Each structure stands twice: as structure tokens, then as C-alpha cells.
């Protein structure tokens, strides 16, 4: 199972285009990653300025170029606005495994956008990449994330807790 993201896989849904992150997204990424509500359950330093957002974009570009992960922005087909992000990384080739990460701006929550994007990325991961297991890490109090994961048939892994973040729980979906 070798990954090759040199031809970036643009994914389409009814309302979204999942496309590559680029430097033109720096302002929108800053707004998303610096948002207090988005960061409520995430242990990370929010960007302090556009320069830090650009550095993040470079980091993601390198991750993709090295085939170590794939990262999409959720772009509205109507407004062309960046609504959120979703990606797969931490691949384990031997176990056909990846982790999924995601975030959406509060202005676009509870409208089904993330469900739409998630379903497309899961299909891509299982059908195109040949993954057998996808795990998601979420804070035990992030009810919106937990609801989404349950809706998409992820199961809580009661025997495993993320050792890096005390209050994170691991959810797993197997094909």
C-alpha cells in the first residue's frame, strides 16, 4: 500500500469541493484555526498572525508532498468560502490504518457540511487508498464531534485512550 498524492485528489459532493490547501487560503485558515470555539477541545497553539498560517500551509504541503498525509479544505460550491478542513494522516501501511482529523468554522456547524465531507473522505480512504481502519480522536466533552462519529458508525474504543491528551477518546471505523 503506497500512497502517491502528487496528483491531488479533488473530491466533490453536492454542496462542497474538497480541494488542496494553498497560500491564498492563509486568511481563512487563520480565521478557522484562531477561532476560540474551534479550539475549545483542541490542544494546540492558535496562529498569532498570517505568517504562522502560511507556515502551517507549508507544513501541510510538505506532508502531502512526502505522501505522509492528505489534507483537504471544505469549499462551498455556492460561495467558494473555506468552511473547514479534513484530512488523513499517521498512516500505518502494515495495518492499512490512518487517523482522520477535521474542523469546521462555527458559522457552518450543524448544517451537514462535515457529514458530507466525512462520507466522501471515508469512501476515498477505504475504496481508493485501501484502508481497513480509520480512527478519530476527539475530546470526551465535544458532543458535536461525538455525535458525528456515532452517526458515521464509528465505535468508541473503551480500552484505548489517547495518551497524549488526557481527555481525548479514540473512535474507530473498520471496513
Amino acid at each position: 500500500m503506497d500512497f502517491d498524492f502528487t496528483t491531488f485528489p479533488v473530491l466533490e459532493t453536492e454542496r462542497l469541493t474538497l480541494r488542496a490547501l494553498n497560500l491564498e487560503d492563509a486568511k481563512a485558515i487563520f480565521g478557522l484555526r484562531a477561532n476560540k470555539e474551534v479550539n475549545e477541545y483542541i490542544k494546540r497553539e492558535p496562529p498569532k498572525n498570517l505568517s504562522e498560517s502560511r507556515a502551517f500551509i507549508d507544513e501541510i504541503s510538505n506532508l502531502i508532498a512526502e505522501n505522509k498525509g492528505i489534507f483537504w479544505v471544505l469549499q462551498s460550491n455556492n460561495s467558494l468560502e473555506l468552511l473547514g478542513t479534513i484530512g488523513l494522516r499517521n498512516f500505518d501501511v502494515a495495518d492499512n490504518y490512518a487517523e482522520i482529523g477535521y474542523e469546521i468554522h462555527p458559522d457552518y456547524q450543524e448544517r451537514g457540511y462535515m457529514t458530507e465531507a466525512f462520507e466522501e473522505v471515508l469512501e476515498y480512504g477505504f475504496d481508493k487508498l485501501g484502508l481497513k481502519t480509520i480512527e478519530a480522536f476527539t475530546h470526551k466533552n465535544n458532543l458535536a464531534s461525538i455525535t458525528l462519529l456515532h452517526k458515521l458508525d464509528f465505535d468508541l474504543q473503551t480500552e484505548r485512550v489517547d495518551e497524549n491528551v488526557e481527555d481525548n477518546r479514540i473512535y474507530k471505523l473498520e471496513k
Side-chain angles (χ1 to χ4, degrees):
M1 188 168 86
D2 287 326
F3 303 116
D4 183 5
F5 303 125
T6 50
T7 302
F8 190 89
V10 175
L11 307 177
E12 299 278 341
T13 72
E14 182 181 332
R15 300 180 296 162
L16 300 170
T17 298
L18 280 62
R19 62 164 178 80
L21 180 65
N22 62 58
L23 285 173
E24 294 170 8
D25 296 319
K27 187 174 179 182
I29 284 294
F30 177 79
L32 177 67
R33 294 181 63 84
N35 185 285
K36 282 186 181 185
E37 199 173 323
V38 170
N39 288 314
E40 182 175 359
Y41 300 111
I42 302 172
K43 302 260 189 211
R44 71 173 176 209
E45 273 299 311
K48 296 174 188 65
N49 51 49
L50 285 179
S51 179
E52 289 187 9
S53 290
R54 285 187 203 98
F56 170 75
I57 292 169
D58 286 342
E59 180 182 318
I60 293 299
S61 296
N62 290 334
L63 182 82
I64 294 167
E66 295 169 3
N67 297 311
K68 292 183 178 177
I70 187 75
F71 186 93
W72 294 271
V73 297
L74 283 60
Q75 179 179 290
S76 167
N77 289 339
N78 291 335
S79 67
L80 303 181
E81 288 181 81
L82 188 152
L83 312 181
T85 67
I86 190 166
L88 297 168
R89 64 169 64 187
N90 294 331
F91 295 109
D92 183 325
V93 175
D95 291 332
N96 295 340
Y97 163 93
E99 295 171 11
I100 191 165
Y102 49 96
E103 59 192 347
I104 191 163
H105 194 281
D107 291 349
Y108 305 105
Q109 291 176 359
E110 297 183 18
R111 297 186 191 182
Y113 289 118
M114 189 53 75
T115 301
E116 212 172 295
F118 228 100
E119 289 172 341
E120 197 70 19
V121 169
L122 291 174
E123 181 180 323
Y124 176 82
F126 288 128
D127 296 346
K128 299 282 193 272
L129 298 181
L131 298 173
K132 300 292 182 214
T133 304
I134 297 177
E135 286 187 335
F137 295 66
T138 194
H139 191 278
K140 68 179 182 180
N141 295 332
N142 189 340
L143 298 181
S145 181
I146 292 167
T147 300
L148 173 70
L149 293 170
H150 282 295
K151 180 179 183 177
L152 295 165
D153 297 324
F154 278 74
D155 294 315
L156 175 63
Q157 300 304 291
T158 53
E159 73 282 358
R160 287 184 59 204
V161 174
D162 182 1
E163 56 279 347
N164 298 320
V165 183
E166 183 178 312
D167 293 325
N168 267 2
R169 298 297 179 260
I170 301 171
Y171 287 78
K172 180 177 6 182
L173 182 63
E174 294 181 302
K175 182 167 182 166

